[in-house]
Amino acid sequence: MDLPVPLSHAYLLAGGSGDSRAALARRLTAAYLCEGPGDVPCGVCRACRKVAADTHPDVSRTAPAPDKREITVDQIRALRSGAYIRPNEGKRKVYLIDPADAMNPAAQSALLKVLEEGPAYAAFLLLADQPGKLLDTVRSRCELLSLPQPERLPDPELEARAAALAQLLLTGDELSAAQALVELELAKPKPAQLADLLAETENQVSRRLTRDLPRGTRVLRALKACRENAVYRPGAGHTLGWLMTQLF
């Protein structure tokens, strides 16, 4: 992906794989800090070499603590305080938040202020697998850079599970659908696995839409909302009730 010119003060990097988002974030970081005379990043100046070696003092990374799943409000408050201290040696300070969709709502609210009113030298890179988890106000303060999804080989097992779930949601009774969703929740799939299942179920539902399936449009809309807005995720106490209210 070609880098945007001029660079914005904040980007939301979404889509692709974790590795591709990290690679783009590294290029953007180097571009912010590059000291070369031509196109940025040059890749050879002192700043670019330090970014490549993860040793540049003006690059800060925020991630969940090793024993936590969320980025907390205290972490973002610390980031916000540091943002008002001028750069150590570069012309910018770059803050990477990865995964940004791990920020809890309080942390996102704390970040919003510095996104809106931060110093001109501060730049923010938010990397997210599920950007729908971010508050609308946070997303609106960032320019979106969407990477293409990596190509995946067909997965017959996934397709079969999705087909069965799609058929049940389209034609099954409420009790059977509820039982299937409970079983899915109790299996505690990883978020990426669940997103894949929901996406393939959407595809299966789309193929089956006919006038004889009046529930189809509602099912499709509910599945899409679950996947994009991360409402349907392992461990969310409101998941089953929310989804059922959308379907029946």
PDB file of all heavy atoms in Angstrom, residues 3 17-19 24 27 30 32 51 59 62-63 78 95-96 108 122 126 132 151 159 166 169 178 199:
ATOM      1  N   LEU A   3       1.882   4.979   0.841  1.00  0.00           N
ATOM      2  CA  LEU A   3       1.592   5.808   1.996  1.00  0.00           C
ATOM      3  C   LEU A   3       0.889   7.085   1.561  1.00  0.00           C
ATOM      4  O   LEU A   3       1.216   7.680   0.522  1.00  0.00           O
ATOM      5  CB  LEU A   3       2.886   6.162   2.735  1.00  0.00           C
ATOM      6  CG  LEU A   3       3.673   5.001   3.335  1.00  0.00           C
ATOM      7  CD1 LEU A   3       4.840   5.524   4.160  1.00  0.00           C
ATOM      8  CD2 LEU A   3       2.789   4.119   4.195  1.00  0.00           C
ATOM      9  N   SER A  17      -3.938  -8.958   7.835  1.00  0.00           N
ATOM     10  CA  SER A  17      -3.537  -9.809   8.954  1.00  0.00           C
ATOM     11  C   SER A  17      -2.816  -8.957   9.985  1.00  0.00           C
ATOM     12  O   SER A  17      -2.464  -7.800   9.732  1.00  0.00           O
ATOM     13  CB  SER A  17      -2.601 -10.917   8.469  1.00  0.00           C
ATOM     14  OG  SER A  17      -1.388 -10.351   7.968  1.00  0.00           O
ATOM     15  N   GLY A  18      -2.575  -9.536  11.155  1.00  0.00           N
ATOM     16  CA  GLY A  18      -1.823  -8.815  12.170  1.00  0.00           C
ATOM     17  C   GLY A  18      -0.443  -8.429  11.672  1.00  0.00           C
ATOM     18  O   GLY A  18       0.044  -7.314  11.938  1.00  0.00           O
ATOM     19  N   ASP A  19       0.193  -9.328  10.920  1.00  0.00           N
ATOM     20  CA  ASP A  19       1.528  -9.032  10.400  1.00  0.00           C
ATOM     21  C   ASP A  19       1.494  -7.903   9.382  1.00  0.00           C
ATOM     22  O   ASP A  19       2.380  -7.032   9.370  1.00  0.00           O
ATOM     23  CB  ASP A  19       2.132 -10.284   9.760  1.00  0.00           C
ATOM     24  CG  ASP A  19       2.527 -11.339  10.784  1.00  0.00           C
ATOM     25  OD1 ASP A  19       2.654 -10.988  11.974  1.00  0.00           O
ATOM     26  OD2 ASP A  19       2.706 -12.510  10.389  1.00  0.00           O
ATOM     27  N   LEU A  24       2.675  -2.199   7.954  1.00  0.00           N
ATOM     28  CA  LEU A  24       2.255  -0.865   7.528  1.00  0.00           C
ATOM     29  C   LEU A  24       2.507   0.152   8.630  1.00  0.00           C
ATOM     30  O   LEU A  24       2.954   1.279   8.359  1.00  0.00           O
ATOM     31  CB  LEU A  24       0.771  -0.880   7.150  1.00  0.00           C
ATOM     32  CG  LEU A  24       0.168   0.463   6.727  1.00  0.00           C
ATOM     33  CD1 LEU A  24       0.940   1.089   5.575  1.00  0.00           C
ATOM     34  CD2 LEU A  24      -1.309   0.302   6.364  1.00  0.00           C
ATOM     35  N   ARG A  27       6.109   1.149   8.559  1.00  0.00           N
ATOM     36  CA  ARG A  27       6.417   2.089   7.463  1.00  0.00           C
ATOM     37  C   ARG A  27       5.936   3.488   7.788  1.00  0.00           C
ATOM     38  O   ARG A  27       6.637   4.482   7.547  1.00  0.00           O
ATOM     39  CB  ARG A  27       5.770   1.612   6.161  1.00  0.00           C
ATOM     40  CG  ARG A  27       6.440   0.413   5.512  1.00  0.00           C
ATOM     41  CD  ARG A  27       5.779   0.092   4.188  1.00  0.00           C
ATOM     42  NE  ARG A  27       5.922   1.193   3.240  1.00  0.00           N
ATOM     43  CZ  ARG A  27       5.078   1.455   2.250  1.00  0.00           C
ATOM     44  NH1 ARG A  27       3.984   0.695   2.095  1.00  0.00           N
ATOM     45  NH2 ARG A  27       5.277   2.459   1.433  1.00  0.00           N
ATOM     46  N   ALA A  30       8.225   5.049  10.410  1.00  0.00           N
ATOM     47  CA  ALA A  30       9.464   5.516   9.797  1.00  0.00           C
ATOM     48  C   ALA A  30       9.232   6.778   8.979  1.00  0.00           C
ATOM     49  O   ALA A  30      10.066   7.698   8.975  1.00  0.00           O
ATOM     50  CB  ALA A  30      10.061   4.408   8.928  1.00  0.00           C
ATOM     51  N   TYR A  32       6.986   9.125   9.502  1.00  0.00           N
ATOM     52  CA  TYR A  32       6.840  10.260  10.419  1.00  0.00           C
ATOM     53  C   TYR A  32       8.193  10.784  10.885  1.00  0.00           C
ATOM     54  O   TYR A  32       8.380  11.987  11.082  1.00  0.00           O
ATOM     55  CB  TYR A  32       6.042   9.835  11.652  1.00  0.00           C
ATOM     56  CG  TYR A  32       4.547   9.775  11.480  1.00  0.00           C
ATOM     57  CD1 TYR A  32       3.852   8.587  11.726  1.00  0.00           C
ATOM     58  CD2 TYR A  32       3.807  10.894  11.094  1.00  0.00           C
ATOM     59  CE1 TYR A  32       2.474   8.518  11.589  1.00  0.00           C
ATOM     60  CE2 TYR A  32       2.439  10.839  10.958  1.00  0.00           C
ATOM     61  CZ  TYR A  32       1.768   9.642  11.207  1.00  0.00           C
ATOM     62  OH  TYR A  32       0.408   9.589  11.066  1.00  0.00           O
ATOM     63  N   VAL A  51      13.953   2.969  13.848  1.00  0.00           N
ATOM     64  CA  VAL A  51      12.587   2.429  13.798  1.00  0.00           C
ATOM     65  C   VAL A  51      12.638   0.945  13.447  1.00  0.00           C
ATOM     66  O   VAL A  51      11.949   0.115  14.061  1.00  0.00           O
ATOM     67  CB  VAL A  51      11.730   3.196  12.777  1.00  0.00           C
ATOM     68  CG1 VAL A  51      10.400   2.483  12.548  1.00  0.00           C
ATOM     69  CG2 VAL A  51      11.468   4.619  13.273  1.00  0.00           C
ATOM     70  N   VAL A  59       9.160   6.585  19.755  1.00  0.00           N
ATOM     71  CA  VAL A  59       8.110   5.633  19.382  1.00  0.00           C
ATOM     72  C   VAL A  59       7.631   4.930  20.648  1.00  0.00           C
ATOM     73  O   VAL A  59       8.435   4.372  21.401  1.00  0.00           O
ATOM     74  CB  VAL A  59       8.616   4.598  18.370  1.00  0.00           C
ATOM     75  CG1 VAL A  59       7.497   3.612  18.014  1.00  0.00           C
ATOM     76  CG2 VAL A  59       9.123   5.287  17.107  1.00  0.00           C
ATOM     77  N   THR A  62       1.574   0.737  22.991  1.00  0.00           N
ATOM     78  CA  THR A  62       0.628   0.408  24.064  1.00  0.00           C
ATOM     79  C   THR A  62      -0.118  -0.858  23.683  1.00  0.00           C
ATOM     80  O   THR A  62      -0.697  -0.950  22.601  1.00  0.00           O
ATOM     81  CB  THR A  62      -0.373   1.554  24.286  1.00  0.00           C
ATOM     82  OG1 THR A  62       0.345   2.745  24.628  1.00  0.00           O
ATOM     83  CG2 THR A  62      -1.333   1.208  25.405  1.00  0.00           C
ATOM     84  N   ALA A  63      -0.082  -1.833  24.588  1.00  0.00           N
ATOM     85  CA  ALA A  63      -0.759  -3.121  24.387  1.00  0.00           C
ATOM     86  C   ALA A  63      -1.278  -3.587  25.739  1.00  0.00           C
ATOM     87  O   ALA A  63      -0.891  -3.050  26.781  1.00  0.00           O
ATOM     88  CB  ALA A  63       0.207  -4.143  23.789  1.00  0.00           C
ATOM     89  N   ALA A  78      -1.546   7.483  30.872  1.00  0.00           N
ATOM     90  CA  ALA A  78      -0.094   7.606  30.848  1.00  0.00           C
ATOM     91  C   ALA A  78       0.380   8.022  29.457  1.00  0.00           C
ATOM     92  O   ALA A  78       1.277   8.873  29.326  1.00  0.00           O
ATOM     93  CB  ALA A  78       0.547   6.290  31.267  1.00  0.00           C
ATOM     94  N   TYR A  95       2.729   7.158  18.500  1.00  0.00           N
ATOM     95  CA  TYR A  95       2.101   6.276  19.487  1.00  0.00           C
ATOM     96  C   TYR A  95       1.342   5.180  18.749  1.00  0.00           C
ATOM     97  O   TYR A  95       0.388   5.451  18.017  1.00  0.00           O
ATOM     98  CB  TYR A  95       1.159   7.076  20.384  1.00  0.00           C
ATOM     99  CG  TYR A  95       1.909   8.037  21.278  1.00  0.00           C
ATOM    100  CD1 TYR A  95       2.203   9.327  20.845  1.00  0.00           C
ATOM    101  CD2 TYR A  95       2.343   7.638  22.534  1.00  0.00           C
ATOM    102  CE1 TYR A  95       2.913  10.201  21.650  1.00  0.00           C
ATOM    103  CE2 TYR A  95       3.055   8.512  23.357  1.00  0.00           C
ATOM    104  CZ  TYR A  95       3.340   9.776  22.907  1.00  0.00           C
ATOM    105  OH  TYR A  95       4.052  10.640  23.714  1.00  0.00           O
ATOM    106  N   LEU A  96       1.798   3.945  18.943  1.00  0.00           N
ATOM    107  CA  LEU A  96       1.127   2.789  18.348  1.00  0.00           C
ATOM    108  C   LEU A  96       0.284   2.111  19.424  1.00  0.00           C
ATOM    109  O   LEU A  96       0.782   1.814  20.522  1.00  0.00           O
ATOM    110  CB  LEU A  96       2.132   1.787  17.795  1.00  0.00           C
ATOM    111  CG  LEU A  96       2.898   2.195  16.531  1.00  0.00           C
ATOM    112  CD1 LEU A  96       4.118   3.026  16.870  1.00  0.00           C
ATOM    113  CD2 LEU A  96       3.311   0.957  15.750  1.00  0.00           C
ATOM    114  N   GLN A 108     -10.901   4.304  25.677  1.00  0.00           N
ATOM    115  CA  GLN A 108     -11.178   4.992  24.413  1.00  0.00           C
ATOM    116  C   GLN A 108     -11.594   6.439  24.653  1.00  0.00           C
ATOM    117  O   GLN A 108     -11.188   7.343  23.920  1.00  0.00           O
ATOM    118  CB  GLN A 108     -12.260   4.246  23.651  1.00  0.00           C
ATOM    119  CG  GLN A 108     -11.834   2.863  23.181  1.00  0.00           C
ATOM    120  CD  GLN A 108     -12.887   2.220  22.293  1.00  0.00           C
ATOM    121  OE1 GLN A 108     -13.385   2.841  21.346  1.00  0.00           O
ATOM    122  NE2 GLN A 108     -13.241   0.979  22.586  1.00  0.00           N
ATOM    123  N   ALA A 122       2.512  15.041  17.751  1.00  0.00           N
ATOM    124  CA  ALA A 122       2.079  13.696  18.139  1.00  0.00           C
ATOM    125  C   ALA A 122       1.313  13.030  17.004  1.00  0.00           C
ATOM    126  O   ALA A 122       0.442  13.632  16.376  1.00  0.00           O
ATOM    127  CB  ALA A 122       1.218  13.753  19.392  1.00  0.00           C
ATOM    128  N   LEU A 126      -3.564   3.393  15.275  1.00  0.00           N
ATOM    129  CA  LEU A 126      -4.422   2.432  15.953  1.00  0.00           C
ATOM    130  C   LEU A 126      -4.587   1.218  15.048  1.00  0.00           C
ATOM    131  O   LEU A 126      -5.094   1.338  13.926  1.00  0.00           O
ATOM    132  CB  LEU A 126      -5.792   3.048  16.256  1.00  0.00           C
ATOM    133  CG  LEU A 126      -5.910   3.985  17.461  1.00  0.00           C
ATOM    134  CD1 LEU A 126      -5.049   5.235  17.291  1.00  0.00           C
ATOM    135  CD2 LEU A 126      -7.364   4.386  17.681  1.00  0.00           C
ATOM    136  N   GLY A 132     -14.947  -2.252  14.523  1.00  0.00           N
ATOM    137  CA  GLY A 132     -16.284  -1.972  15.024  1.00  0.00           C
ATOM    138  C   GLY A 132     -16.352  -1.890  16.534  1.00  0.00           C
ATOM    139  O   GLY A 132     -17.324  -1.372  17.088  1.00  0.00           O
ATOM    140  N   GLU A 151      -5.896 -13.983   1.324  1.00  0.00           N
ATOM    141  CA  GLU A 151      -6.631 -15.075   0.693  1.00  0.00           C
ATOM    142  C   GLU A 151      -6.536 -16.331   1.543  1.00  0.00           C
ATOM    143  O   GLU A 151      -5.484 -16.645   2.092  1.00  0.00           O
ATOM    144  CB  GLU A 151      -6.075 -15.348  -0.712  1.00  0.00           C
ATOM    145  CG  GLU A 151      -6.325 -14.226  -1.705  1.00  0.00           C
ATOM    146  CD  GLU A 151      -5.922 -14.609  -3.099  1.00  0.00           C
ATOM    147  OE1 GLU A 151      -5.609 -15.810  -3.306  1.00  0.00           O
ATOM    148  OE2 GLU A 151      -5.908 -13.736  -3.969  1.00  0.00           O
ATOM    149  N   GLU A 159     -17.202 -24.403   6.265  1.00  0.00           N
ATOM    150  CA  GLU A 159     -18.343 -24.223   5.372  1.00  0.00           C
ATOM    151  C   GLU A 159     -19.526 -25.083   5.805  1.00  0.00           C
ATOM    152  O   GLU A 159     -20.679 -24.641   5.745  1.00  0.00           O
ATOM    153  CB  GLU A 159     -17.929 -24.550   3.941  1.00  0.00           C
ATOM    154  CG  GLU A 159     -16.937 -23.543   3.347  1.00  0.00           C
ATOM    155  CD  GLU A 159     -16.467 -23.939   1.969  1.00  0.00           C
ATOM    156  OE1 GLU A 159     -16.890 -25.011   1.480  1.00  0.00           O
ATOM    157  OE2 GLU A 159     -15.665 -23.194   1.373  1.00  0.00           O
ATOM    158  N   ALA A 166     -26.654 -21.522   9.208  1.00  0.00           N
ATOM    159  CA  ALA A 166     -27.497 -20.679   8.361  1.00  0.00           C
ATOM    160  C   ALA A 166     -28.879 -21.302   8.169  1.00  0.00           C
ATOM    161  O   ALA A 166     -29.904 -20.603   8.273  1.00  0.00           O
ATOM    162  CB  ALA A 166     -26.816 -20.465   7.007  1.00  0.00           C
ATOM    163  N   LEU A 169     -30.882 -20.953  11.437  1.00  0.00           N
ATOM    164  CA  LEU A 169     -31.336 -19.585  11.698  1.00  0.00           C
ATOM    165  C   LEU A 169     -32.445 -19.165  10.741  1.00  0.00           C
ATOM    166  O   LEU A 169     -33.323 -18.376  11.093  1.00  0.00           O
ATOM    167  CB  LEU A 169     -30.158 -18.612  11.598  1.00  0.00           C
ATOM    168  CG  LEU A 169     -29.051 -18.777  12.647  1.00  0.00           C
ATOM    169  CD1 LEU A 169     -27.923 -17.796  12.378  1.00  0.00           C
ATOM    170  CD2 LEU A 169     -29.589 -18.588  14.060  1.00  0.00           C
ATOM    171  N   ALA A 178     -31.760 -21.129  19.677  1.00  0.00           N
ATOM    172  CA  ALA A 178     -31.172 -20.734  20.959  1.00  0.00           C
ATOM    173  C   ALA A 178     -30.187 -21.780  21.454  1.00  0.00           C
ATOM    174  O   ALA A 178     -29.101 -21.454  21.951  1.00  0.00           O
ATOM    175  CB  ALA A 178     -32.276 -20.509  21.993  1.00  0.00           C
ATOM    176  N   ALA A 199     -18.825 -14.747   9.199  1.00  0.00           N
ATOM    177  CA  ALA A 199     -18.700 -14.266   7.820  1.00  0.00           C
ATOM    178  C   ALA A 199     -19.174 -15.333   6.837  1.00  0.00           C
ATOM    179  O   ALA A 199     -19.896 -15.032   5.875  1.00  0.00           O
ATOM    180  CB  ALA A 199     -17.253 -13.877   7.539  1.00  0.00           C
TER     181      ALA A 199
END
